[in-house]
Amino acid sequence: MGLFSKIKEGLKRTQSKLFHEVKRIVTSSPKLTGDSIEELEYVLISADLGMQMTRQIIDAAKKAYETQGKSGDDFFAIARNEIEKSLTSERCDLAKSDGGLTIVSMVGVNGTGKTTTSAKLANLIQNNGQKAMLAACDTFRAAAIDQLKLWGERLNVDVVAGDYGSDPASVAHDAVTSAKAKGCNYLFVDTAGRLHTKNNLMKELEKLHRVIGKQEQGAPHEVLLVVDATTGMNAMNQAREFNKIAPLTGLVVTKLDGTSKGGMVVAIQKELNLPVKFIGVGEKADDLQSFDPKQYAQALFPDPAEE
Ligand code: GDP
């Protein structure tokens, strides 16, 4: 399956809901009257595009309809255009350190997909011909250590793990030493899920970052917050709180395949001013995509003539 088909497939639930609802509204009211505008607003907000983005699309559509006589199916192109304009225009790839090793810390609340995404990222790097390593620093959950080891076996990626209950900062320390010794290009540190409200756990994350920062200049070079698309706007609070403790460099939005609210990718990026770097569209190792705003906008609002 091509990359674009994969994004389309992953966003199918969101896209199909948006497409059918929007099509119905613009077909029955091609000139966008008061009621139909309200209906469109409702549909966009239901897809979690967020208030700001929804307003921007509706305003642009109203203007285009009034001044250029646009109508009906043009709404899709207008929405697509506004979304593209609002998102970071470049595709953002992973940071790369000046030294040999880039350390990426994966943070977020439990169950968002940190462990799975760490493994998917390691897979991506290896598929690009570089060497990756995984650090199992979620020492609170025995299952998380086992899960990461299993991924490591499957993907042929080295995993550094400590015992259940051991100090995550010390596992991270060992992992950095090992990754450097083995000439790895990337080390992905899977951290324990924590509620952003739990102060002591957040402090522990700070410590982990401090320890690896002492070992390797500028580390962690990337701090990715993993958020679950199915939790909708909750992700916004998580991002705000994590950002205070561990300044985030980007987001990974997972489980887009399981929601019709995939618009939250736009809302979160627009409102937090943080780039979405990757999206998760399934449970398998290659179900991770670099986030491409243009393809995303196209997948969400395809040209009706091509559907
Ligand atoms: P963690 O607690 O944050 O480390 O979360 P896990 O990596 O253990 O993931 C929790 C569950 O979400 C697992 O069952 C994963 O298979 C699943 N998962 C992770 N990413 C995705 C995704 O993009 N799509 C789907 N459908 N499931 C995912």
Side-chain angles (χ1 to χ4, degrees), residues 110-116 120 141 147 255 257 280-283:
N110 261 330
T112 51
K114 281 179 305 302
T115 307
T116 312
K120 286 174 173 176
R141 246 183 357 120
Q147 194 185 335
K255 310 188 195 179
D257 51 309
V281 291
E283 294 188 88

Side-chain angles (χ1 to χ4, degrees), residues 8-221:
K8 263 183 100 168
E9 185 64 27
L11 281 164
K12 207 156 110 193
R13 290 174 70 163
T14 309
Q15 188 264 334
S16 111
K17 188 159 177 261
L18 271 174
F19 187 82
H20 291 110
E21 297 279 292
V22 170
K23 183 98 186 143
R24 179 183 60 74
I25 299 166
V26 296
T27 309
S28 66
S29 174
K31 292 284 165 219
L32 283 198
T33 55
D35 280 356
S36 57
I37 286 181
E38 263 178 42
E39 270 192 90
L40 279 173
E41 263 175 357
Y42 178 76
V43 171
L44 300 185
I45 286 172
S46 308
D48 268 359
L49 276 158
M51 216 42 222
Q52 279 184 30
M53 192 69 238
T54 299
R55 280 253 62 91
Q56 186 181 325
I57 295 174
I58 297 287
D59 289 347
K62 277 208 270 194
K63 201 163 154 206
Y65 282 40
E66 279 161 19
T67 58
Q68 300 157 31
K70 301 239 179 212
S71 66
D73 281 352
D74 295 325
F75 187 86
F76 288 87
I78 295 166
R80 202 160 54 231
N81 189 32
E82 293 304 317
I83 290 178
E84 261 181 57
K85 258 188 356 204
S86 292
L87 297 173
T88 317
S89 57
E90 299 292 305
R91 252 187 49 180
C92 342
D93 292 320
L94 275 177
K96 197 171 176 314
S97 78
D98 294 336
L101 177 68
T102 304
I103 303 175
V104 182
S105 173
M106 309 294 292
V107 304
V109 305
N110 261 330
T112 51
K114 281 179 305 302
T115 307
T116 312
T117 305
S118 305
K120 286 174 173 176
L121 281 169
N123 186 47
L124 195 80
I125 291 298
Q126 306 242 106
N127 285 345
N128 286 341
Q130 291 183 297
K131 198 166 160 56
M133 183 180 274
L134 288 159
C137 294
D138 180 355
T139 57
F140 291 101
R141 246 183 357 120
I145 302 174
D146 294 341
Q147 194 185 335
L148 205 64
K149 282 183 177 164
L150 200 64
W151 273 114
E153 275 167 33
R154 259 193 246 154
L155 301 173
N156 203 15
V157 175
D158 284 339
V159 178
V160 172
D163 291 330
Y164 167 63
S166 58
D167 178 9
S170 127
V171 178
H173 187 276
D174 290 350
V176 174
T177 308
S178 173
K180 281 163 74 173
K182 290 191 171 165
C184 291
N185 304 96
Y186 278 89
L187 171 68
F188 297 98
V189 180
D190 181 27
T191 67
R194 58 200 77 227
L195 280 178
H196 46 282
T197 46
K198 290 272 184 231
N199 225 341
N200 53 336
L201 288 178
M202 290 301 253
K203 288 267 174 265
E204 205 173 78
L205 184 62
E206 245 179 331
K207 176 180 161 196
L208 191 153
H209 285 173
R210 222 175 25 246
V211 166
I212 54 182
K214 275 192 191 147
Q215 262 177 303
E216 196 65 11
Q217 203 185 5
H221 306 98

